Amino acid sequence: MPLTPSKKRLIVWTCVLGAILLGTGLGVYFSFIQKHANARLLPSTATKSPEDNGDLQQHAPLTPSSSPGSPNMNTGDLTYYAPGLGACGIVSTETDLICAISHALYDSYNNSPNPNTNPLCGHKIKAIRGEKSLTVTVVDRCEGCKPDDIDMSPAAFEHLADLDEGRVGVEWSWVDPVPNKLV
């Protein structure tokens, strides 16, 4: 028995409504998961071994520096971005004092296919611009950044420059001891 045009429309609209409800439900579910994700906010110099057998490797920390012009100071561009779920597995907002480091720097420390286990996640950076300075936490990697650039949340950027400037020069250094490169 063939379907009448009105029954076909009813089936199509039922499918459309079902797809919308499914999409909304999945969106709510993933928002809940991201909001309640177990975030690593404290830095550690221990990471799981590449074999992932539960053993921890200790990495010798580097000596941090926070004085401008010192050999451990980095000079690059400072930009800002709209944060969300970062490469470290931490969900951040535009008001958090966080940053993303360059993909080259981030990837050079990662010894696992899982970016959430990068030993730089949770480490602090002190950014200095003129007379202003701010300490931020590494939670992400910046694909468009050069090796010494950092990308901050808008709130963090505003501590050092006006958002209208968009890209400015910055000096920065590690506050916490950071692990030696593994790769």
Side-chain angles (χ1 to χ4, degrees), residues 12 18 21 26 31 37 52 57 62 70-72 88 90 92 123-124 126 130 138 150 155 158 163 166-167 172 180-181:
V12 168
L21 290 175
L26 287 174
S31 293
D52 201 26
Q57 297 175 326
L62 299 175
S70 74
N72 292 332
C88 294
I90 298 170
S92 303
H123 281 275
K124 307 275 187 210
K126 181 175 183 180
V138 174
I150 52 177
E158 283 185 304
L163 290 178
R167 179 180 299 271
W172 64 271
N180 290 326
K181 288 185 181 180

Side-chain angles (χ1 to χ4, degrees), residues 25-130:
L26 287 174
V28 169
Y29 171 76
F30 286 117
S31 293
F32 177 82
I33 294 298
Q34 286 180 353
K35 185 182 264 187
H36 295 89
N38 200 4
R40 276 189 349 196
L41 296 177
L42 297 175
S44 169
T45 57
T47 59
K48 283 193 174 185
S49 67
E51 297 81 35
D52 201 26
N53 61 7
D55 295 338
L56 293 179
Q57 297 175 326
Q58 272 307 113
H59 305 290
L62 299 175
T63 306
S65 169
S66 59
S67 58
S70 74
N72 292 332
M73 254 346 233
N74 301 286
T75 302
D77 285 344
L78 172 65
T79 53
Y80 65 92
Y81 71 111
L85 178 60
C88 294
I90 298 170
V91 178
S92 303
T93 68
E94 293 187 359
T95 60
D96 294 328
L97 300 180
I98 53 96
C99 75
I101 56 175
S102 77
H103 63 94
L105 178 59
Y106 187 92
D107 294 345
S108 72
Y109 278 81
N110 204 14
N111 66 340
S112 164
N114 181 355
N116 296 344
T117 62
N118 189 305
L120 295 179
C121 291
H123 281 275
K124 307 275 187 210
I125 285 177
K126 181 175 183 180
I128 302 167
R129 187 160 186 271

Side-chain angles (χ1 to χ4, degrees), residues 78 80 94 132 134 152-163:
L78 172 65
Y80 65 92
E94 293 187 359
K132 299 177 181 178
L134 176 69
M152 291 186 178
S153 67
F157 186 93
E158 283 185 304
H159 280 277
L160 302 172
D162 291 329
L163 290 178

